Amino acid sequence: VQCLDLQVEDESVLENKIKENDIVGISALTPNIQEAIRIAKISKKYDKLVILGGPHPSILPQESLNSGFVDIVCRGEAENTIADVLEDKIPLSKIKGISYIKNGEIFHNEDRGYINNLDEIPFPARKLFPNDKYKLYLHKGKKVMTMLTSRGCPSKCNFCYKGISGRIYRMRSVDNMLQEWEQIIKLGADEIGVVDDSFTVNKKR
């Protein structure tokens, strides 16, 4: 597995990274969906399997597949979904939470439920990322990393899309969080940003 974060890394290495791998996975928000499709197009030039995930393709999988450069969309919380796809032990037609193209036809499988026990999810493989390049310039260039301690938000704000983590608030255990916290510190982080959907739901926590 190789990871490339084009928010901080030089795009000049992109095509070589694509050539070196069999499958290209891209995460997309709405502001960068066109950039994601552009990378998918480059990947198809080298006949790679392209998998798209993230908020935008989760709500508009048909749009992403209609681009002609995406093979599979993993919708919603996709840790288990992408594992099923890559292990290749289950036919695509049986994998919950994906949309895909087969013989020119688009299929949308049933949704996969939310992950209830967040402690089951492995920590991010941060060593695959350019951690030295993540800086908060407002904080004198300190090295910053982020972590997620919960998922979901029970609020009903009508401007917010909850299609990824939903309204059911799920929390990681204290021990699990502290283990990741320690790992982040060992990697040299000066600051840790908590990026939960809603950090203050449980005031005692």
Side-chain angles (χ1 to χ4, degrees), residues 132-197:
D132 290 337
K133 295 185 179 181
Y134 299 131
K135 307 278 187 183
L136 273 182
Y137 294 104
L138 293 176
H139 294 257
K140 300 179 181 178
K142 287 185 176 181
K143 187 174 176 181
V144 63
M145 296 183 194
T146 60
M147 65 181 288
L148 198 71
T149 74
S150 67
R151 288 185 179 179
C153 175
S155 300
K156 299 179 181 179
C157 306
N158 61 11
F159 57 81
C160 180
Y161 170 62
K162 293 185 174 61
I164 297 295
S165 295
R167 287 182 175 161
I168 300 173
Y169 189 61
R170 292 154 289 141
M171 301 171 287
R172 294 168 56 187
S173 69
V174 172
D175 286 345
N176 183 259
M177 288 187 295
L178 289 178
Q179 286 175 32
E180 184 178 3
W181 195 284
E182 185 176 325
Q183 181 190 85
I184 290 172
I185 291 170
K186 286 180 178 177
L187 287 171
D190 300 306
E191 295 187 358
I192 299 172
V194 177
V195 292
D196 294 20
D197 295 324

Side-chain angles (χ1 to χ4, degrees), residues 35-63:
E35 177 72 1
I37 296 300
R38 184 182 69 84
I39 295 170
K41 183 177 181 180
I42 296 170
S43 304
K44 278 299 168 189
K45 184 170 73 174
Y46 298 104
D47 199 29
K48 304 299 181 179
L49 179 73
V50 176
I51 303 173
L52 202 61
H56 188 93
S58 288
I59 196 172
L60 293 171
Q62 187 96 10
E63 175 194 86

Side-chain angles (χ1 to χ4, degrees), residues 96-122:
K96 293 181 179 180
I98 67 168
S99 300
Y100 64 99
I101 293 181
K102 183 177 181 180
N103 299 325
E105 187 176 355
I106 292 177
F107 298 89
H108 302 285
N109 294 358
E110 67 176 289
D111 291 339
R112 184 182 290 256
Y114 296 120
I115 300 171
N116 291 318
N117 183 2
L118 300 182
D119 287 6
E120 294 177 352
I121 303 172

Side-chain angles (χ1 to χ4, degrees), residues 149-150 154 169 194 196-205:
T149 74
S150 67
Y169 189 61
V194 177
D196 294 20
D197 295 324
S198 184
F199 183 57
T200 56
V201 172
N202 184 320
K203 291 183 181 180
K204 182 178 178 180
R205 179 174 181 269

